[in-house]
Amino acid sequence: MAGIVMAGIVMADIVWELSVAAKRRTRLAAFIDAAQSSGETGLMAAEAPGAFEAVYGWSVAHPERFWAAVWRFCGVIADERRGGARSGAPPWDAVVAGGDRMAPPDPVLGPRWFPGARLNFAENLLAAERATLALVSWGEGGPSGRLTFGELRQAVASCASALRSAGIVPGDRVAGFLPNIPETVIAMLATTSIGAVWSSCSPDFGAAAVVDRFGQIAPRVLFCADGYHYAGKRIALGSRIAEVVSALPSVERTVIVPFLDARAGREPMPDHVPRAVAWRDFLAGHEHAAPAYERQPFWHPAFILYSSGTTGVPKCIVHSAGGTLLQLLKEHVLHVDVRREDRVFYYTTCGWMMWNWLVNVLATGAAAVLYDGAAFPPDRPAILWDLAADEGVTVFGTSAKYLALAEKHALRPAATHDVRAVRTVLSTGSPLAAHSYDYVRRDVGAHVQLSSISGGTDIVSCFVLGNPLAPVRRGEIQGRGLGMAVEIFDDSGRAIVGVPGELVCAKPFPSMPLGFWNDPDGEKYRAAYFARYPNVWRHGDWAQITAEGGVVIYGRSDTTLNPGGVRIGTAEIYRQVEQLPEVVECVAVGGEVRSTDGGLDTEVVLFVRLVPGVVLDDAMRQRIRDLIRRNTSPHHVPRRIYAVADIPRTVSGKIAELAVREAIHGRPVANTDALANPGALAEYREFAKSLDS
């Protein structure tokens, strides 16, 4: 690389920081102590200024020592070598083979993590003491169930035994079309206990979207629910299941969970679903099966996740058992400071990688708190804070959009609920606006650490996130993930600080995908991440590292705007507009217009969804423009502003900026099945003519 380019920036306000004594009590402090005791030098005491920067620097300079230390500190369960753990022989031949090769993993060239190690994902998640609480489940009606680790282990053993009886063996695919309920966790852990591969979609996916995903991986068993509840509505899935199964010839058994009325026991099977069996009947005769775990190589596939599919058929991203386990243990233990007594909640569906993130918390011995339903049910809009208060949630995970809407809904949990147990609020899904930091501090609690985190399905984890040693600065992510060699590159591939650029990762890490399904030569994998910069992972985020080591995400780099040749991120606009109480949400795209010399130029086009009853008039347009100009730059100011009834989103809840951009130019939108509300695009197509005026 050429040198580092610096640019001056304004230091953001510190809104949270642990005391010296509290820093000493964190698990990251204990990890640093353990590393120093084993002979590592250059680290600093946790309470010292710059302690996180020191451990981060060590983690990326010496990844083989860092990841081995994470394995030992987190107590990963694996086959031991002759003489056992007391002999001092590690359960691996090497920490990483081919670690100097940043490219799609190759069985010969690498990178390959922990060759020689053998473990089982489910075994590591089910190791806590029998009586310890493992799962808490809620729906829109309130609490619906609890399982201890002992009960969960037995349920997993029963389901695994039934899967074995159905002929499932290591490497087979098992799929779930399920809500976020305990049966989903049980089916996933049963699948991975065998060494089979789990993949899931949430029940709000349309049949075509499910087939687009599962049809590529050919599952042998499909777990479904008979329906689900959302926003006070009861939504039956019988016809959708029949449509999905008819399009998946690989499915040999369809297991139906009676979720719409859990007390009904044996629900009638949906019409026209061949080889369907009720959950209870599937487990019959296996109720007392003993737990059994197939230990496989560290790199054995365990999960298939999916890209959004907004530009075509979703890519099937294959993740390893060991890479997923170790990376998420690092995040939970060292970054989020999760302990056995914690109760961790994340608002997610099982069609989003944050479901995997949430369930992996079981490996720490903490309880995972599940919720299935709308974030703001019409008759109980504060239900997530009801859940947090009633269950003593200590880590509350949600999205930036939820926090923005909670503020607009005037939810003030610190005043209305006992949320003193909540010590951390996590936010992901989109960049977190600066005013949301004020909201959490004011209305959730000044003691709460607000950690914005960012990564993706691609790595089933985070590139940048919070940590307990550094301060939280308003509008910034605290820092880079340990062991993740994250940089910001300019167009020429130089690392830059203080100015926006492409977020990249320059060194291998354990949770890199094994590959894409049906991509035998790795062409799609290389094109997705390695085409822009040689031997460097380009993630596709437009971001900035600050002089203090914080990170600001401005949006996806493929949706950045370029008015007058100045590249800006859409999140910079959203942060301003969504502060207005009249605006529910917005989307900004680049409108292609003819310049005076006959060429093409770009202008910012903004669409706003307003609070019911509010009208977008010229005065309000001017308020929006003035706010953006005052807090950003004249380049950010939209030339055109329109009111819309809805904003298109993917099934995982992200704003579909590319779809909007194509629609307003009258071009076809690829794979509208990937959208949760494809009908919303019709309104945007009506704006195509106005761009020429």
Side-chain angles (χ1 to χ4, degrees):
M1 303 297 163
I4 291 182
V5 178
M6 298 290 292
I9 61 168
V10 177
M11 183 180 294
D13 295 335
I14 293 175
V15 296
W16 175 92
E17 186 170 14
L18 280 181
S19 67
V20 168
K23 288 179 182 179
R24 286 298 313 153
R25 293 192 295 268
T26 64
R27 299 199 72 185
L28 182 52
F31 174 78
I32 293 171
D33 290 346
Q36 289 176 318
S37 297
S38 67
E40 295 295 343
T41 59
L43 302 177
M44 303 168 64
E47 68 272 18
F52 182 78
E53 288 75 9
V55 68
Y56 172 77
W58 167 69
S59 74
V60 296
H62 304 287
E64 71 289 346
R65 283 146 53 183
F66 168 73
W67 288 107
V70 173
W71 179 300
R72 295 187 185 99
F73 186 78
C74 294
V76 172
I77 300 168
D79 281 350
E80 295 293 345
R81 298 299 174 91
R82 181 174 297 178
R86 293 182 181 179
S87 70
W92 55 77
D93 298 329
V95 173
V96 60
D100 57 349
R101 180 180 183 268
M102 185 47 158
D106 181 273
V108 176
L109 301 176
R112 284 187 301 127
W113 290 90
F114 296 97
R118 298 182 67 85
L119 55 76
N120 182 273
F121 181 84
E123 182 180 14
N124 276 272
L125 267 65
L126 293 170
E129 294 181 4
R130 181 176 184 82
T132 302
L133 183 65
L135 294 179
V136 176
S137 182
W138 273 53
E140 291 183 0
S144 57
R146 310 165 84 79
L147 288 174
T148 65
F149 273 93
E151 292 166 335
L152 180 59
R153 266 195 299 272
Q154 186 55 60
V156 169
S158 300
C159 188
S161 179
L163 285 170
R164 287 189 179 95
S165 293
I168 299 300
V169 298
D172 282 344
R173 276 77 63 207
V174 175
F177 182 39
L178 292 161
N180 185 16
I181 55 177
E183 287 86 349
T184 312
V185 179
I186 292 165
M188 180 275 286
L189 291 173
T191 299
T192 55
S193 73
I194 296 170
V197 182
W198 174 261
S199 189
S200 57
C201 292
S202 62
D204 56 336
F205 282 32
V210 177
V211 173
D212 277 351
R213 290 158 174 79
F214 293 164
Q216 297 184 67
I217 67 169
R220 292 185 62 194
V221 173
L222 176 65
F223 288 91
C224 302
D226 60 348
Y228 65 104
H229 301 272
Y230 191 84
K233 298 177 182 178
R234 175 185 170 100
I235 302 168
L237 289 174
S239 59
R240 206 180 309 175
I241 293 170
E243 186 177 349
V244 167
V245 173
S246 68
L248 297 176
S250 65
V251 173
E252 301 167 11
R253 188 73 57 87
T254 302
V255 182
I256 310 293
V257 177
F259 180 61
L260 277 184
D261 186 353
R263 290 170 294 184
R266 298 176 181 229
E267 290 279 318
M269 293 301 99
D271 294 339
H272 313 302
V273 178
R275 297 176 297 281
V277 60
W279 171 264
R280 181 180 296 181
D281 293 338
F282 182 67
L283 301 181
H286 303 277
E287 294 88 349
H288 304 293
Y293 305 105
E294 299 280 346
R295 291 181 179 174
Q296 302 285 347
F298 185 91
W299 274 97
H300 185 74
F303 300 102
I304 298 175
L305 280 66
Y306 303 95
S307 65
S308 63
T310 52
T311 58
V313 176
K315 292 183 283 290
C316 307
I317 304 170
V318 185
H319 285 290
S320 68
T324 303
L325 173 69
L326 192 64
Q327 177 78 292
L328 295 183
L329 272 171
K330 178 208 74 177
E331 293 187 359
H332 292 145
V333 173
L334 304 185
H335 284 275
V336 188
D337 201 35
V338 173
R339 303 159 187 269
R340 290 182 182 274
E341 61 270 21
D342 279 324
R343 297 188 179 184
V344 180
F345 164 74
Y346 219 105
Y347 180 68
T348 181
T349 71
C350 65
W352 189 23
M353 61 137 294
M354 292 311 299
W355 182 83
N356 301 75
W357 193 97
L358 170 63
V359 175
N360 205 94
V361 81
L362 296 172
T364 69
V369 180
L370 314 177
Y371 172 78
D372 194 77
F376 301 97
D379 60 345
R380 198 174 177 180
I383 190 168
L384 298 189
W385 296 111
D386 295 343
L387 177 156
D390 291 358
E391 301 297 345
V393 166
T394 53
V395 178
F396 182 97
T398 186
S399 65
K401 175 53 60 180
Y402 175 82
L403 293 175
L405 290 177
E407 184 175 10
K408 289 182 183 292
H409 280 293
L411 299 186
R412 298 184 175 87
T416 58
H417 295 73
D418 183 359
V419 291
R420 288 173 294 178
V422 176
R423 68 165 189 273
T424 302
V425 169
L426 303 173
S427 171
T428 193
S430 59
L432 185 64
H435 64 83
S436 290
Y437 289 76
D438 303 332
Y439 169 69
V440 169
R441 181 176 175 82
R442 181 186 65 244
D443 291 326
V444 183
H447 69 285
V448 173
Q449 177 186 11
L450 176 55
S451 291
S452 181
I453 65 179
S454 182
T457 298
D458 322 72
I459 64 170
V460 72
S461 59
C462 302
F463 276 126
V464 294
L465 67 167
N467 70 77
L469 303 186
V472 174
R473 298 182 185 276
R474 185 177 185 269
E476 294 181 8
I477 298 172
Q478 280 177 277
R480 292 171 279 187
L482 294 170
M484 310 294 277
V486 172
E487 302 284 357
I488 305 300
F489 274 13
D490 64 13
D491 289 342
S492 62
R494 294 185 304 166
I496 54 177
V497 173
V499 290
E502 292 278 0
L503 188 148
V504 303
C505 190
K507 292 184 178 182
F509 49 92
S511 65
M512 289 175 65
L514 294 176
F516 292 171
W517 198 261
N518 294 328
D519 183 30
D521 60 0
E523 181 181 353
K524 293 179 182 177
Y525 193 157
R526 283 188 293 273
Y529 309 116
F530 296 101
R532 179 67 177 83
Y533 302 106
N535 307 312
V536 172
W537 176 297
R538 171 187 172 272
H539 194 55
D541 282 337
W542 191 247
Q544 174 180 327
I545 294 176
T546 71
E548 294 78 38
V551 180
V552 179
I553 305 287
Y554 294 105
R556 296 294 292 171
S557 54
D558 59 359
T559 60
T560 53
L561 309 176
N562 197 29
V566 178
R567 197 171 182 186
I568 59 177
T570 54
E572 299 176 80
I573 296 172
Y574 302 158
R575 287 188 180 108
Q576 304 308 318
V577 179
E578 292 181 2
Q579 295 181 60
L580 295 171
E582 300 93 336
V583 177
V584 177
E585 58 183 348
C586 62
V587 58
V589 297
E592 298 167 7
V593 294
R594 290 290 173 187
S595 61
T596 54
D597 61 4
L600 275 179
D601 198 358
T602 299
E603 63 182 21
V604 179
V605 183
L606 178 69
F607 299 93
V608 293
R609 182 164 75 90
L610 301 173
V611 170
V614 175
V615 176
L616 180 66
D617 55 18
D618 289 342
M620 186 170 183
R621 286 187 175 92
Q622 193 58 46
R623 283 179 60 208
I624 291 172
R625 291 187 174 110
D626 289 345
L627 181 65
I628 295 171
R629 182 180 289 106
R630 184 167 61 248
N631 293 313
T632 55
S633 80
H635 297 289
H636 293 71
V637 177
R639 172 79 180 277
R640 303 165 193 267
I641 305 176
Y642 302 104
V644 290
D646 200 3
I647 289 183
R649 290 183 176 273
T650 67
V651 290
S652 60
K654 295 184 179 181
I655 293 176
E657 293 167 323
L658 289 176
V660 170
R661 188 184 69 191
E662 297 306 285
I664 68 169
H665 291 99
R667 298 191 288 256
V669 176
N671 197 20
T672 55
D673 287 330
L675 301 179
N677 52 343
L681 289 173
E683 184 176 10
Y684 293 82
R685 293 191 178 99
E686 296 298 316
F687 294 107
K689 295 179 181 178
S690 67
L691 290 178
D692 296 325
S693 61

